[in-house]
Structures are given as C-alpha cells and as structure tokens.
Amino acid sequence: MTTTSNPLRDPRDKRLPRVAGPCVLVLFGVTGDLSRKKLLPAIYDLANRGLLPPGFSLVGFARRDWDHQDFRQIAYESVKEHARTPFREDVWTHLSEGMHFVPGEFGDPGAFDALAMAVKELDESRGTGGNYAFYLSIPPKFFPKVVEQLRRSGLADRSDGEWRRVVIEKPFGHDLASAQDLNDTVHRVFPEESIFRIDHYLGKETVQNILALRFANSMFEPIWNRSFVDHVQITMAEDIGIGGRAGYYDGIGAARDVIQNHLLQLLALTAMEEPTSFAAEAVRAEKAKILSSVRVRGDLSQSTARGQYASGWQGGVKVEGYLEEDGIPADSRTETYAAIKLEIDNRRWAGVPFYLRTGKRLSRRVTEVAMVFQKAPHLPFSHTDTEELGQNALVMRVQPDEGITVRFGSKVPGTSMEIRDVNMDFAYGESFTESSPEAYERLLLDVLIGDPPLFPRQEEVELSWKILDPIEEYWAGQGGLDQYKSGGYGPDSADELMARDGRTWRRL
Ligand SMILES: NC(=O)c1ccc[n+]([C@@H]2O[C@H](COP(=O)([O-])OP(=O)(O)OC[C@H]3O[C@@H](n4cnc5c(N)ncnc54)[C@H](OP(=O)(O)O)[C@@H]3O)[C@@H](O)[C@H]2O)c1
C-alpha cells in the first residue's frame, strides 16, 4: 500500500512510511499492566495512523471469562486512557471489529487448540493470510510453557508464504545460564529470525537519534574518542518506587532490570563503530563487538555501588522504604540502585570510563547519556576568571524533555573576562511539529513488518549477562547494602565511586 492510497495516514509523517501486511497479533497476558498501558494503546495509535492492514486482527488471551465484547470494552477503556493520538470513532470501530478473545490458562492444551481454531477462522473471515505474531506479555516463568503450547497446538507451524513471529519481553533470563536456557527453549520451536526480543528503549526516537547524531553529521565523530572524551555517564533515574510489582522486582533488582538491557544497549549505541548500513545484521554486529570489549576492571568493591531506598519524602508525600513495601521480605537484599564503572578495550575508548547508574525513588525522573569532554589543555585566562568553568559536555536526553544539550564555557557579559558554563539546547518539541511515536508503536510495527534492527539478538543478550554476572556474584557474597533516602540522589557509595576517580555524577 502506498502513502497516498491510505486515507488514514498523515501524508506529512515520513518517519514510518511502512504499512504492515495481513496478519493476526495474538497478545498473551492481555489483562496485564503492560498490555493495558502500552500495547493496546500502541495498536490503536498504529491503526489511527493507517499503518495496520485492513483485515488486521487482534486476539487477546488471558484467564478471564470474557466474550469478544468484554475484551473490546476493556481495550476501549485502555485506548481512551492511554493512547497518544486523538480518539476517532471510525478508526476504533474498524479496529475493534477485528478484536477477539480466547479465554485460557497457559497449562491448558484445550485453550491453545481453541486459539488455533480462532486464528484459522480469522484467516478465512478477515484475510489475515496465515501470518501470526505471538506477543508474550506475560511473567517470564511462563515463556517456556507458552512456547511449548504453540508448538504442540501446531500454531508455530507455517506453510509456504506464511510467517510466524514470537515477541519476548525482557527480562531475557536472570543470568547467562538462564538466558541460554530460555534461548534453547524458544529455538526448539522458532528460528532466530522469528524471535523478536523487546528492549523498548531501542524503540525510542531519542535512542535511535544517537545513531543519527553520530553518523549523519560530521562535527561529532572526530571528537568521539579517547583523545577528547574524559568519561561518559549513562543514567536512568526514576522518581517512583516499585509500585505493586514486588513479585517481579524482588530478587531481580536494579542492575538486572535496567543495566543489563537498557543501559548496556545505550552504551553500545554510544560507543560502537559506524555500521556498514542500517540493516539489522550490520547494526547488531557493531553492538556485539562493543559489548564483547566491555570490561569491569579491578576490585569490584571500588568499581560498583548499590543501595536500597529508605523512607523519605517524594513530591511532598511521605513514602515508605523498600523493605516496608507490600510483598517485600524484611531481610531482602535486592538493590533498587546500582552504579558500575566499565571500560571498553579498544583503540577508540581505551582508558575512558563509562559510568552507568540507575535507581528508583530518586529526586527526578531522567534518562540521559552524557559525554563529558577533557578540559582545555591550556587556559590563557586568570584562574579566578575560570573558577566557574566546568568540562564541556554533550548530553543526549532520552526522557523526559527529549533533546540534546551542549555545555560549553562562555564569557559572562561585563568588563572582565569571566567565563562560565552555558547550555545550548535542541528540544524535540521546539524543532519538530510531529510528536514522537511511543516506543511500543514503532516496535510493534517492526514486528508486524518483520524488520529486526531494533531488537537485540541473543548474542547481545548473552554478552550483557557476561558483563553483569560477575558483579551480581560479587554482590551476592556481600552483606547488607547501603540505604539511601527516597527523593534523594542515591547511596553515598555511588558518590564515593566517582570521587575515587576525582569526578562527580551529573546532578539529577
Ligand atoms: N509492566 C511494565 O511496565 C513492563 C515493562 C517492561 C517489561 N515488562 C514485561 O512484560 C511482561 C508482562 O508484564 P506485566 O507487568 O504486564 O505483567 P502482569 O501485569 O503481571 O500481567 C501478566 C499477564 O499474564 C497473564 N497470566 C499470568 N499467568 C497466567 C496463566 N497461568 N495463564 C494465562 N494467563 C496468565 C495475566 O492474566 P490474568 O489476568 O489472567 O492474571 C496477565 O494478563 C513481563 O515479562 C514483564 O517483565 C513489563
């Protein structure tokens, strides 16, 4: 379908000019948090932008005694509440006609047989062409069971000209061995090219823009190396606690939940060499090369830090500490904050530390990659004139307040030569009239089209666990962990990690 043939599409929107072909999307875990807040709204947004095929069908699967109409009503509420684009009755009516519900429990073969019948019927009635994507938005412990049921029921089998894709949400295992087990299980049923591992950070415009910034311009790449860069700070700070997700979070912790996937992917995009093209294999190969060059040097007590949030004040509200949260054992040693110092053993980055940190219940929500540059080798000014001059920095703001900031020294207006840091800003909201699609919108469309560059392959997942496993093992052998005040900046040990190198974290 061309751009002009589609009346629902905004012709000015050139960013996603691709439209999915006929298919069924089966959403397991459709009653869950992720489905309601992100996936169902993203499907509507894609429909609203005319990026789904006319016969597109969505099958929800969960343990509810619902009929199709109940499912449509729940989906309607979630779309009304969370969709990014305006609600349009005609789009909704068209989309909801293709929504079906199959009740079932993952352990029940009969439910999967019913699912197989349901999708076959959709092929007949809506022309979905025998193409199925299975989205596993479910607790990770059920991945093997559902994949096995897809095999047993024949849903994973395809005839010539048809496709099958399976979408797996993070976490991909909880260490290297379990990630390999999971991979073996999924591979017994689906080939690698049919497996789409979601790291939703890669669907964000601002994350993809790291590659545009680096490889579409000439002014940044020459200084993007050890000759100019002093160090790099990659931060994902959250101002919320674990919410109601104690069952998921405890025993996992900040490093497995965020560093293993989102932050190491950001590191890879920031540090990798230019790919030969933006084809999936070329981009993934460069990311894998960087991840295999990452090292944690020396004594882990000096290059890592972790902590747990204690009670405090957040946005004017008194909040409880992690150990007082519902469902968290009083002696839990799961970290809610983690910081690690990494190095990359290659010619471009030798000796440049990459500091990664993530934490919950910090003072502000922010995700950014900051390249901090070396000081000018010589300053022909008096010491007092440059007292307030820091290091130049280029900050890629991933969220919120998406954009890029360049920090540099500038003369303070007046008669003296006083120099102070100033910021030059690019903000998405001011430079583009188009709003950015949600990450899940982009990723769901890529799954339906079969476009894999934004999905990590197994090699990257395993390399990331190889970086993290020794750290987790070291932490497991340690006693208690630092507490930090909710609404603050993280544990003192994280500040000490930076202070040992004569550096400080960027202010949150
Ligand atoms: N929530 C997020 O923001 C987020 C972010 C990133 C990644 N993820 C990942 O996304 C996945 C889903 O997360 P979530 O937060 O949406 O989980 P959730 O709220 O716990 O939802 C789990 C879903 O699985 C279904 N389910 C559980 N056991 C089942 C069984 N035995 N048979 C049939 N259905 C069953 C539940 O259905 P019932 O209604 O029948 O219980 C529910 O629909 C997880 O892998 C998670 O790690 C989530």
Side-chain angles (χ1 to χ4, degrees):
M1 193 179 292
T2 63
T3 319
T4 45
S5 69
N6 188 337
L8 292 173
R9 217 171 139 234
D10 180 346
R12 287 169 311 164
D13 190 347
K14 303 253 188 310
R15 287 164 306 161
L16 292 173
R18 308 153 311 148
V19 179
C23 60
V24 180
L25 174 63
V26 180
L27 195 45
F28 292 101
V30 79
T31 54
D33 184 67
L34 185 69
S35 290
R36 281 184 296 107
K37 292 198 183 131
K38 297 287 181 187
L39 303 178
L40 292 168
I43 292 163
Y44 168 80
D45 287 325
L46 287 174
N48 204 5
R49 298 167 64 206
L51 299 175
L52 297 180
F56 174 78
S57 303
L58 173 69
V59 178
F61 184 102
R63 295 174 293 188
R64 300 290 156 107
D65 193 16
W66 285 351
D67 60 19
H68 302 323
Q69 207 44 49
D70 296 324
F71 173 43
R72 289 170 193 166
Q73 181 59 29
I74 297 297
Y76 172 81
E77 286 161 17
S78 122
V79 165
K80 280 290 236 184
E81 194 175 348
H82 300 289
R84 178 180 66 87
T85 59
F87 187 78
R88 285 169 47 184
E89 203 64 53
D90 55 335
V91 174
W92 171 253
T93 304
H94 186 71
L95 180 67
S96 63
E97 280 164 3
M99 287 186 172
H100 296 257
F101 186 74
V102 175
E105 145 79 36
F106 297 145
D108 174 13
F112 282 78
D113 293 340
L115 178 63
M117 296 239 307
V119 291
K120 277 249 148 18
E121 275 168 31
L122 290 170
D123 287 340
E124 299 289 322
S125 61
R126 295 183 59 84
T128 41
N131 299 318
Y132 313 143
F134 305 107
Y135 199 123
L136 275 49
S137 179
I138 59 176
K141 66 176 179 204
F142 290 114
F143 291 162
K145 193 178 257 181
V146 172
V147 168
E148 171 52 25
Q149 290 280 21
L150 292 174
R151 188 201 59 75
R152 193 210 49 80
S153 60
L155 275 160
D157 302 337
R158 61 178 188 91
S159 307
D160 280 352
E162 299 175 351
W163 54 255
R164 299 287 180 275
R165 292 175 193 138
V166 62
V167 186
I168 302 182
E169 266 293 341
K170 66 144 214 191
F172 318 114
H174 54 88
D175 57 14
L176 178 61
S178 57
Q180 287 170 332
D181 283 351
L182 172 62
N183 191 45
D184 291 347
T185 306
V186 182
H187 267 235
R188 276 197 282 277
V189 182
F190 294 97
E192 177 66 18
E193 67 270 17
S194 302
I195 304 171
F196 288 70
R197 301 174 187 83
I198 293 254
D199 182 333
H200 72 272
Y201 258 57
L202 297 178
K204 288 183 186 290
E205 286 286 331
T206 41
V207 171
Q208 293 161 49
N209 198 34
I210 295 175
L211 297 185
L213 178 87
R214 293 188 56 197
F215 302 126
N217 299 299
S218 60
M219 59 196 272
F220 301 114
E221 233 6 58
I223 55 170
W224 211 263
N225 55 54
R226 67 189 303 273
S227 304
F228 295 91
V229 176
D230 176 70
H231 71 279
V232 180
Q233 295 189 21
I234 304 181
T235 300
M236 179 181 149
E238 294 180 281
D239 55 5
I240 51 171
I242 54 162
R245 304 189 75 212
Y248 163 74
Y249 198 83
D250 197 55
I252 296 279
R256 287 191 176 101
D257 189 39
V258 175
I259 293 183
Q260 186 272 341
N261 36 75
H262 305 325
L263 297 198
L264 285 175
Q265 285 288 329
L266 287 177
L267 176 145
L269 294 172
T270 304
M272 71 186 222
E273 295 301 313
E274 182 176 296
T276 49
S277 74
F278 278 94
E281 281 320 301
V283 176
R284 289 159 151 186
E286 294 304 336
K287 282 197 287 170
K289 257 161 67 185
I290 274 293
L291 291 171
S292 57
S293 313
V294 169
R295 306 278 177 269
V296 194
R297 286 255 141 66
D299 181 352
L300 290 178
S301 69
Q302 306 293 298
S303 51
T304 70
R306 61 186 185 137
Q308 224 173 36
Y309 60 79
S311 58
W313 290 87
Q314 193 111 39
V317 178
K318 184 145 180 52
V319 289
E320 294 188 321
Y322 181 71
L323 297 178
E324 287 97 55
E325 297 272 17
D326 277 351
I328 299 297
D331 59 351
S332 169
R333 281 163 46 187
T334 299
E335 84 282 357
T336 59
Y337 180 105
I340 57 178
K341 173 185 170 185
L342 300 173
E343 291 189 26
I344 298 175
D345 276 358
N346 68 14
R347 183 170 286 243
R348 186 192 280 264
W349 295 116
V352 177
F354 282 66
Y355 300 98
L356 276 50
R357 66 175 159 164
T358 182
K360 290 194 178 289
R361 281 272 176 78
L362 297 174
S363 62
R364 202 161 72 88
R365 171 175 172 253
V366 59
T367 301
E368 63 173 36
V369 179
M371 311 282 292
V372 182
F373 292 90
Q374 295 166 14
K375 289 199 159 144
H378 169 70
L379 291 171
F381 309 100
S382 74
H383 173 65
T384 48
D385 284 346
T386 54
E387 257 175 351
E388 290 186 56
L389 176 65
Q391 284 169 273
N392 296 165
L394 189 147
V395 183
M396 294 164 272
R397 303 193 308 269
V398 173
Q399 70 177 23
D401 187 22
E402 293 83 356
I404 294 171
T405 300
V406 178
R407 187 181 68 193
F408 55 96
S410 177
K411 180 182 175 305
V412 179
T415 49
S416 70
M417 197 56 194
E418 192 190 340
I419 297 171
R420 201 185 288 162
D421 285 336
V422 293
N423 286 333
M424 196 161 69
D425 243 16
F426 148 61
Y428 274 76
E430 285 168 18
S431 300
F432 298 115
T433 49
E434 302 93 334
S435 67
S436 295
E438 277 283 329
Y440 277 102
E441 239 171 291
R442 168 68 197 258
L443 295 174
L444 271 167
L445 182 62
D446 283 358
V447 168
L448 300 182
I449 289 176
D451 196 13
L454 298 180
F455 299 83
R457 70 176 170 195
Q458 179 64 15
E459 186 183 4
E460 293 164 60
V461 171
E462 292 190 10
L463 286 167
S464 303
W465 282 122
K466 279 183 188 159
I467 297 166
L468 208 59
D469 273 4
I471 299 173
E472 291 287 353
E473 210 172 292
Y474 165 74
W475 284 343
Q478 299 301 300
L481 65 179
D482 293 356
Q483 300 280 308
Y484 60 94
K485 254 208 174 92
S486 284
Y489 301 100
D492 293 344
S493 54
D495 292 337
E496 288 155 15
L497 182 157
M498 289 300 253
R500 279 192 287 277
D501 291 350
R503 299 188 173 101
T504 53
W505 291 110
R506 282 173 50 77
R507 231 194 6 245
L508 286 178

